[in-house]
Amino acid sequence: LAYSVEGEQLGEVRCDGLVVATPAGSTGYNLANGGPVLAWGVEGFVVSFIAPHSLTARALVVAPGDLLTINNASREEPVEVHVDGRPTCELPPGEDLHIEFGGPRGTLAQMPGASFYHRLRERFGRLAR
């Protein structure tokens, strides 16, 4: 998969897949890939790779106004595209998928007594020792 932000190609990575996550989704597949947790209130999205075949593939946090383009650099194989764990379409060889930070937003309720960081530590343990 090749990827670029705002038309600037950042790399081409042999990998099993790529995850794009908002802050609310960053503790799912993205965290399992070793990507960063984005705190609530951070605007933008994170891009992390699933089983990259390179030690130089790093997760990237993309600004909310920037356009992310994923290109299926394969000459032969289509790439499955999943949204929230559900298959939505296939990206044919050589084709692009454009990803933007969405306009409509949901509101997350938080019960008093525990901050985002307290809940993060309770759910995932201490991030460093």
Side-chain angles (χ1 to χ4, degrees):
L1 297 172
Y3 64 109
S4 60
V5 176
E6 287 297 295
E8 189 75 35
Q9 186 172 11
L10 298 177
E12 191 170 305
V13 179
R14 289 185 178 273
C15 57
D16 290 351
L18 179 131
V19 173
V20 178
T22 63
S26 69
T27 56
Y29 291 123
N30 168 65
L31 183 61
N33 289 329
V37 173
L38 299 180
W40 294 349
V42 170
E43 290 197 9
F45 47 94
V46 64
V47 179
S48 60
F49 300 94
I50 301 170
H53 304 191
S54 165
L55 296 176
T56 59
R58 300 282 185 245
L60 174 69
V61 178
V62 178
D66 292 346
L67 177 68
L68 170 67
T69 302
I70 307 299
N71 174 267
N72 178 0
S74 171
R75 292 186 211 145
E76 302 169 7
E77 298 296 323
V79 172
E80 290 183 18
V81 177
H82 293 240
V83 176
D84 288 332
R86 297 194 163 133
T88 57
C89 65
E90 284 191 345
L91 184 62
E95 295 292 317
D96 291 339
L97 177 66
H98 302 287
I99 302 166
E100 298 179 89
F101 198 78
R105 298 181 185 170
T107 301
L108 294 175
Q110 184 171 334
M111 300 300 290
S115 69
F116 168 81
Y117 301 104
H118 174 81
R119 291 178 193 276
L120 179 69
R121 187 184 71 229
E122 290 297 310
R123 180 158 293 154
F124 298 107
R126 298 192 185 275
L127 297 179
R129 293 201 185 254

